[in-house]
Amino acid sequence: MKKIVYLIVLSLSLLNAKAFNAPMQIYMNELSAEAKAQNPNFTGFDATRGEKLFVSKHTGKKGSEMSCTSCHTNNLKNSGQNVNTNKPITALAPSANPTRLTDVAEVQKWLRRNFNDVFVREGTALEKGDVLTYIINQ
Amino acid sequence: MKKIFLMTALGLTFAFAGNVAPVNNALYQKECASCHFGYQPALLSKTSWEKVMGNLSDHFGTDASLGKAEHDQILAYLVSNAGSGKIAANNNSMRITESPKFIKEHREVPARLITQKEVGSLSNCSACHILADQGNYSERAIKIPNYGRWE
Protein backbone atom coordinates (compact mmCIF):
# COMPACT_ATOMS: atom_id res chain seq x y z
CA MET A 1 0.00 0.00 0.00
CA LYS A 2 2.78 2.36 0.99
CA LYS A 3 4.53 1.49 -2.26
CA ILE A 4 1.50 2.44 -4.30
CA VAL A 5 1.27 5.79 -2.54
CA TYR A 6 4.95 6.41 -3.26
CA LEU A 7 4.43 5.48 -6.91
CA ILE A 8 1.48 7.85 -7.24
CA VAL A 9 3.41 10.68 -5.60
CA LEU A 10 6.40 9.94 -7.83
CA SER A 11 4.40 9.89 -11.04
CA LEU A 12 2.56 13.06 -10.04
CA SER A 13 5.85 14.81 -9.36
CA LEU A 14 7.19 13.60 -12.71
CA LEU A 15 4.09 14.90 -14.47
CA ASN A 16 4.63 18.22 -12.78
CA ALA A 17 8.35 18.30 -13.51
CA LYS A 18 7.97 21.02 -16.11
CA ALA A 19 5.55 23.19 -14.16
CA PHE A 20 6.46 26.03 -11.82
CA ASN A 21 5.26 25.85 -8.24
CA ALA A 22 2.55 28.34 -7.21
CA PRO A 23 4.82 31.18 -5.97
CA MET A 24 7.06 30.82 -9.03
CA GLN A 25 4.01 30.86 -11.31
CA ILE A 26 2.91 34.14 -9.72
CA TYR A 27 6.38 35.55 -10.43
CA MET A 28 6.24 34.27 -14.03
CA ASN A 29 2.85 35.99 -14.43
CA GLU A 30 4.37 39.25 -13.16
CA LEU A 31 7.23 38.93 -15.66
CA SER A 32 4.70 38.16 -18.36
CA ALA A 33 2.64 41.28 -17.56
CA GLU A 34 5.81 43.38 -17.55
CA ALA A 35 6.93 41.94 -20.90
CA LYS A 36 3.51 42.65 -22.37
CA ALA A 37 3.63 46.24 -21.08
CA GLN A 38 7.04 46.71 -22.72
CA ASN A 39 5.97 45.11 -26.00
CA PRO A 40 2.26 44.76 -26.92
CA ASN A 41 3.18 42.02 -29.45
CA PHE A 42 4.48 39.74 -26.66
CA THR A 43 2.65 36.43 -26.81
CA GLY A 44 4.50 34.30 -24.26
CA PHE A 45 7.91 33.11 -23.09
CA ASP A 46 9.98 30.85 -25.27
CA ALA A 47 12.50 28.18 -24.21
CA THR A 48 14.39 28.39 -27.52
CA ARG A 49 14.96 32.14 -27.09
CA GLY A 50 15.98 31.39 -23.49
CA GLU A 51 18.54 28.82 -24.61
CA LYS A 52 20.07 31.25 -27.12
CA LEU A 53 20.44 33.80 -24.35
CA PHE A 54 21.89 31.19 -22.01
CA VAL A 55 24.69 30.18 -24.38
CA SER A 56 25.36 33.65 -25.85
CA LYS A 57 28.82 35.08 -25.14
CA HIS A 58 29.45 38.55 -23.75
CA THR A 59 32.25 40.65 -22.35
CA GLY A 60 31.32 40.21 -18.70
CA LYS A 61 31.65 42.40 -15.64
CA LYS A 62 35.27 41.31 -15.20
CA GLY A 63 36.15 42.31 -18.77
CA SER A 64 36.64 38.75 -19.99
CA GLU A 65 34.34 36.65 -22.18
CA MET A 66 31.46 35.19 -20.20
CA SER A 67 28.36 33.18 -20.77
CA CYS A 68 25.88 31.53 -18.42
CA THR A 69 27.55 28.29 -19.50
CA SER A 70 30.94 29.47 -18.14
CA CYS A 71 29.79 28.28 -14.72
CA HIS A 72 26.70 26.17 -15.44
CA THR A 73 28.10 24.28 -18.49
CA ASN A 74 26.09 23.43 -21.63
CA ASN A 75 24.28 20.54 -19.98
CA LEU A 76 22.15 21.84 -17.12
CA LYS A 77 21.65 18.33 -15.77
CA ASN A 78 25.32 18.31 -14.86
CA SER A 79 26.89 20.17 -11.99
CA GLY A 80 29.05 23.17 -12.83
CA GLN A 81 31.88 25.12 -11.30
CA ASN A 82 32.26 28.78 -10.32
CA VAL A 83 34.69 30.14 -12.91
CA ASN A 84 36.28 32.53 -10.39
CA THR A 85 36.64 30.35 -7.32
CA ASN A 86 36.48 26.73 -8.59
CA LYS A 87 33.64 26.05 -6.14
CA PRO A 88 31.24 23.36 -7.42
CA ILE A 89 27.72 24.46 -8.45
CA THR A 90 24.86 21.97 -8.20
CA ALA A 91 22.89 21.19 -11.37
CA LEU A 92 20.52 23.91 -12.59
CA ALA A 93 18.00 21.58 -14.25
CA PRO A 94 14.98 20.94 -11.98
CA SER A 95 14.87 17.36 -13.34
CA ALA A 96 18.30 16.75 -11.84
CA ASN A 97 17.96 19.08 -8.85
CA PRO A 98 14.35 19.54 -7.66
CA THR A 99 15.26 22.48 -5.38
CA ARG A 100 15.95 24.65 -8.44
CA LEU A 101 13.39 27.33 -9.42
CA THR A 102 11.35 26.79 -6.26
CA ASP A 103 12.19 29.90 -4.23
CA VAL A 104 11.25 33.22 -5.87
CA ALA A 105 13.65 35.29 -3.74
CA GLU A 106 16.57 33.02 -4.65
CA VAL A 107 15.65 33.09 -8.33
CA GLN A 108 15.41 36.90 -8.33
CA LYS A 109 18.74 37.21 -6.49
CA TRP A 110 20.63 34.98 -8.92
CA LEU A 111 19.03 36.52 -12.01
CA ARG A 112 20.10 39.96 -10.77
CA ARG A 113 23.66 38.85 -9.97
CA ASN A 114 24.24 36.64 -12.97
CA PHE A 115 22.82 39.03 -15.58
CA ASN A 116 25.14 41.70 -14.15
CA ASP A 117 28.13 39.36 -14.27
CA VAL A 118 27.53 38.12 -17.81
CA PHE A 119 25.62 40.94 -19.57
CA VAL A 120 26.81 43.84 -17.36
CA ARG A 121 23.19 44.95 -16.97
CA GLU A 122 19.93 43.73 -15.52
CA GLY A 123 17.84 41.33 -17.55
CA THR A 124 14.55 42.48 -19.07
CA ALA A 125 11.30 40.78 -18.09
CA LEU A 126 11.30 39.02 -21.48
CA GLU A 127 14.86 37.73 -21.03
CA LYS A 128 14.24 36.53 -17.49
CA GLY A 129 11.02 34.76 -18.46
CA ASP A 130 12.63 33.12 -21.49
CA VAL A 131 15.65 31.89 -19.51
CA LEU A 132 13.46 30.52 -16.69
CA THR A 133 11.28 28.75 -19.27
CA TYR A 134 14.41 27.21 -20.80
CA ILE A 135 15.71 26.06 -17.42
CA ILE A 136 12.47 24.56 -16.15
CA ASN A 137 12.24 22.43 -19.28
CA GLN A 138 15.67 20.92 -18.72
CA MET B 1 44.48 23.46 38.75
CA LYS B 2 47.54 22.28 36.87
CA LYS B 3 45.20 20.70 34.34
CA ILE B 4 43.32 23.95 33.74
CA PHE B 5 46.62 25.76 33.32
CA LEU B 6 47.80 23.16 30.86
CA MET B 7 44.54 23.30 28.94
CA THR B 8 44.68 27.09 28.79
CA ALA B 9 48.25 26.94 27.55
CA LEU B 10 47.24 24.34 25.00
CA GLY B 11 44.28 26.47 23.96
CA LEU B 12 46.53 29.48 23.53
CA THR B 13 48.98 27.42 21.49
CA PHE B 14 46.15 26.39 19.18
CA ALA B 15 44.95 29.97 18.87
CA PHE B 16 48.36 30.85 17.47
CA ALA B 17 48.91 27.62 15.58
CA GLY B 18 46.44 28.21 12.84
CA ASN B 19 43.09 27.62 14.50
CA VAL B 20 40.12 29.95 14.27
CA ALA B 21 36.52 29.55 15.41
CA PRO B 22 34.50 27.73 12.72
CA VAL B 23 31.65 29.47 10.91
CA ASN B 24 28.47 29.13 12.97
CA ASN B 25 26.03 31.32 11.06
CA ALA B 26 23.69 29.59 8.62
CA LEU B 27 22.86 32.75 6.65
CA TYR B 28 26.54 33.59 6.14
CA GLN B 29 27.18 30.00 5.08
CA LYS B 30 24.29 30.07 2.61
CA GLU B 31 24.92 33.47 1.06
CA CYS B 32 28.71 33.63 1.01
CA ALA B 33 29.88 30.05 0.91
CA SER B 34 27.68 29.18 -2.06
CA CYS B 35 30.31 30.80 -4.33
CA HIS B 36 33.54 30.39 -2.42
CA PHE B 37 35.08 28.87 0.67
CA GLY B 38 33.35 30.12 3.82
CA TYR B 39 36.16 32.21 5.27
CA GLN B 40 35.93 32.36 9.05
CA PRO B 41 35.22 35.88 10.40
CA ALA B 42 38.44 35.81 12.46
CA LEU B 43 40.52 35.82 9.28
CA LEU B 44 39.84 39.52 8.70
CA SER B 45 39.60 42.61 10.89
CA LYS B 46 36.39 44.52 11.58
CA THR B 47 37.53 47.32 9.22
CA SER B 48 38.16 44.76 6.47
CA TRP B 49 34.75 43.16 6.82
CA GLU B 50 33.06 46.55 6.75
CA LYS B 51 34.86 47.28 3.47
CA VAL B 52 33.91 43.90 1.99
CA MET B 53 30.26 44.31 2.95
CA GLY B 54 30.21 47.92 1.74
CA ASN B 55 30.40 47.03 -1.95
CA LEU B 56 28.95 43.59 -2.58
CA SER B 57 27.57 44.54 -6.00
CA ASP B 58 31.20 44.70 -7.14
CA HIS B 59 32.68 41.90 -5.03
CA PHE B 60 36.11 41.19 -6.51
CA GLY B 61 34.64 41.86 -9.94
CA THR B 62 31.36 39.97 -9.53
CA ASP B 63 27.88 40.91 -8.33
CA ALA B 64 27.32 39.38 -4.90
CA SER B 65 24.61 41.83 -3.85
CA LEU B 66 22.18 40.88 -1.09
CA GLY B 67 18.84 42.10 0.17
CA LYS B 68 19.10 44.64 3.01
CA ALA B 69 17.96 42.26 5.75
CA GLU B 70 20.50 39.58 4.75
CA HIS B 71 23.24 42.18 4.32
CA ASP B 72 22.70 43.65 7.78
CA GLN B 73 22.57 40.27 9.52
CA ILE B 74 25.74 39.04 7.85
CA LEU B 75 27.60 42.29 8.52
CA ALA B 76 26.65 42.06 12.21
CA TYR B 77 27.90 38.45 12.37
CA LEU B 78 31.20 39.26 10.67
CA VAL B 79 31.92 42.39 12.68
CA SER B 80 31.14 40.80 16.04
CA ASN B 81 33.36 37.81 15.24
CA ALA B 82 36.09 39.66 13.37
CA GLY B 83 39.71 38.73 13.92
CA SER B 84 41.96 40.17 16.58
CA GLY B 85 44.71 37.58 16.33
CA LYS B 86 47.94 37.47 14.34
CA ILE B 87 46.28 36.42 11.10
CA ALA B 88 44.14 39.59 10.94
CA ALA B 89 46.82 41.92 12.30
CA ASN B 90 48.11 44.78 10.13
CA ASN B 91 45.64 44.03 7.37
CA ASN B 92 42.71 46.33 6.75
CA SER B 93 42.46 45.34 3.08
CA MET B 94 39.61 43.22 1.73
CA ARG B 95 41.94 40.31 1.05
CA ILE B 96 42.94 37.66 3.58
CA THR B 97 45.87 36.95 1.25
CA GLU B 98 47.27 40.43 2.05
CA SER B 99 47.70 39.70 5.74
CA PRO B 100 51.44 39.84 6.64
CA LYS B 101 51.04 36.64 8.67
CA PHE B 102 49.27 34.93 5.76
CA ILE B 103 52.01 35.99 3.33
CA LYS B 104 54.71 34.73 5.70
CA GLU B 105 52.98 31.37 6.16
CA HIS B 106 52.61 30.79 2.42
CA ARG B 107 55.92 32.19 1.17
CA GLU B 108 57.51 28.80 0.62
CA VAL B 109 54.68 27.31 -1.41
CA PRO B 110 55.82 26.98 -5.05
CA ALA B 111 53.67 28.94 -7.54
CA ARG B 112 52.93 25.85 -9.64
CA LEU B 113 51.18 24.20 -6.67
CA ILE B 114 48.97 27.28 -6.30
CA THR B 115 48.09 27.81 -9.98
CA GLN B 116 47.36 24.15 -10.68
CA LYS B 117 43.70 23.51 -11.50
CA GLU B 118 42.95 21.67 -8.24
CA VAL B 119 43.81 24.83 -6.31
CA GLY B 120 43.56 27.85 -8.61
CA SER B 121 44.57 30.51 -6.12
CA LEU B 122 45.62 31.09 -2.53
CA SER B 123 42.05 32.06 -1.70
CA ASN B 124 40.89 28.45 -2.14
CA CYS B 125 41.76 27.48 1.45
CA SER B 126 40.12 24.07 1.51
CA ALA B 127 42.08 22.83 -1.51
CA CYS B 128 45.11 22.23 0.74
CA HIS B 129 43.91 22.79 4.31
CA ILE B 130 41.88 19.63 4.65
CA LEU B 131 40.24 20.77 7.90
CA ALA B 132 39.75 24.41 6.83
CA ASP B 133 35.98 24.07 7.24
CA GLN B 134 36.57 23.42 10.94
CA GLY B 135 38.82 26.44 11.23
CA ASN B 136 41.90 24.22 11.50
CA TYR B 137 44.80 25.60 9.47
CA SER B 138 47.51 23.76 11.38
CA GLU B 139 50.51 22.44 9.50
CA ARG B 140 49.52 18.87 10.33
CA ALA B 141 46.26 19.32 8.42
CA ILE B 142 47.79 20.37 5.11
CA LYS B 143 47.73 18.14 2.05
CA ILE B 144 48.54 19.87 -1.23
CA PRO B 145 47.09 18.26 -4.36
CA ASN B 146 49.76 16.54 -6.47
CA TYR B 147 52.30 17.12 -3.72
CA GLY B 148 51.16 15.61 -0.43
CA ARG B 149 51.68 16.56 3.17
CA TRP B 150 53.43 19.79 4.03
CA GLU B 151 55.54 19.21 7.11
Side-chain angles (χ1 to χ4, degrees):
Chain A
M1 183 59 200
K2 227 176 179 180
K3 254 186 190 165
I4 297 170
V5 174
Y6 280 143
L7 270 170
I8 294 170
V9 171
L10 187 72
S11 48
L12 278 176
S13 59
L14 285 175
L15 281 174
N16 284 326
K18 288 180 182 179
F20 290 104
N21 67 15
M24 273 301 293
Q25 191 54 56
I26 293 169
Y27 175 55
M28 289 303 286
N29 294 346
E30 286 166 12
L31 287 176
S32 189
E34 205 183 317
K36 183 86 182 156
Q38 281 161 2
N39 176 9
N41 295 325
F42 170 80
T43 53
F45 294 123
D46 179 59
T48 313
R49 277 200 311 255
E51 181 174 13
K52 272 190 193 149
L53 209 61
F54 197 85
V55 301
S56 62
K57 294 184 165 82
H58 304 267
T59 302
K61 192 173 164 67
K62 279 195 151 184
S64 48
E65 192 178 82
M66 276 288 281
S67 151
C68 304
T69 61
S70 303
C71 298
H72 292 293
T73 81
N74 281 309
N75 184 350
L76 300 194
K77 291 190 183 74
N78 290 343
S79 57
Q81 194 178 34
N82 185 304
V83 77
N84 297 310
T85 66
N86 293 2
K87 180 115 185 169
I89 299 173
T90 54
L92 203 49
S95 59
N97 185 358
T99 63
R100 291 297 193 181
L101 307 194
T102 56
D103 182 331
V104 176
E106 280 294 294
V107 168
Q108 287 174 325
K109 181 181 78 184
W110 286 109
L111 284 174
R112 178 183 75 233
R113 291 174 168 185
N114 294 355
F115 262 102
N116 273 327
D117 281 349
V118 177
F119 296 79
V120 204
R121 60 169 175 81
E122 268 216 52
T124 65
L126 179 71
E127 289 171 328
K128 291 176 189 170
D130 283 347
V131 163
L132 293 174
T133 304
Y134 166 61
I135 298 170
I136 195 120
N137 281 298
Q138 293 302 299
Chain B
M1 185 61 202
K2 218 175 176 183
K3 238 186 194 171
I4 294 170
F5 183 73
L6 210 71
M7 276 167 71
T8 314
L10 211 65
L12 283 172
T13 315
F14 275 134
F16 296 126
N19 278 50
V20 292
V23 170
N24 66 348
N25 182 293
L27 188 66
Y28 172 80
Q29 193 71 28
K30 171 175 172 276
E31 297 296 348
C32 306
S34 57
C35 296
H36 55 65
F37 175 72
Y39 307 107
Q40 287 84 8
L43 297 177
L44 280 177
S45 68
K46 179 175 175 287
T47 310
S48 292
W49 284 125
E50 284 167 346
K51 277 185 199 165
V52 169
M53 294 301 290
N55 191 17
L56 283 181
S57 58
D58 191 9
H59 185 63
F60 301 100
T62 72
D63 185 341
S65 56
L66 288 165
K68 191 180 181 320
E70 290 81 8
H71 173 277
D72 292 353
Q73 277 185 55
I74 289 172
L75 177 63
Y77 167 66
L78 290 172
V79 163
S80 59
N81 292 281
S84 52
K86 278 186 183 171
I87 191 73
N90 301 312
N91 180 24
N92 284 330
S93 83
M94 292 195 287
R95 294 175 188 274
I96 297 161
T97 52
E98 285 178 13
S99 140
K101 170 81 171 158
F102 181 101
I103 294 168
K104 185 169 167 255
E105 293 294 341
H106 294 85
R107 70 191 187 284
E108 287 170 19
V109 186
R112 68 185 164 82
L113 294 181
I114 298 162
T115 55
Q116 61 172 332
K117 72 174 191 319
E118 289 86 348
V119 181
S121 81
L122 277 179
S123 53
N124 191 1
C125 306
S126 53
C128 306
H129 293 275
I130 54 180
L131 299 176
D133 263 334
Q134 297 164 32
N136 181 344
Y137 295 91
S138 72
E139 222 159 282
R140 268 180 298 176
I142 297 173
K143 198 177 167 196
I144 304 179
N146 301 312
Y147 178 85
R149 302 206 163 268
W150 186 266
E151 271 188 286

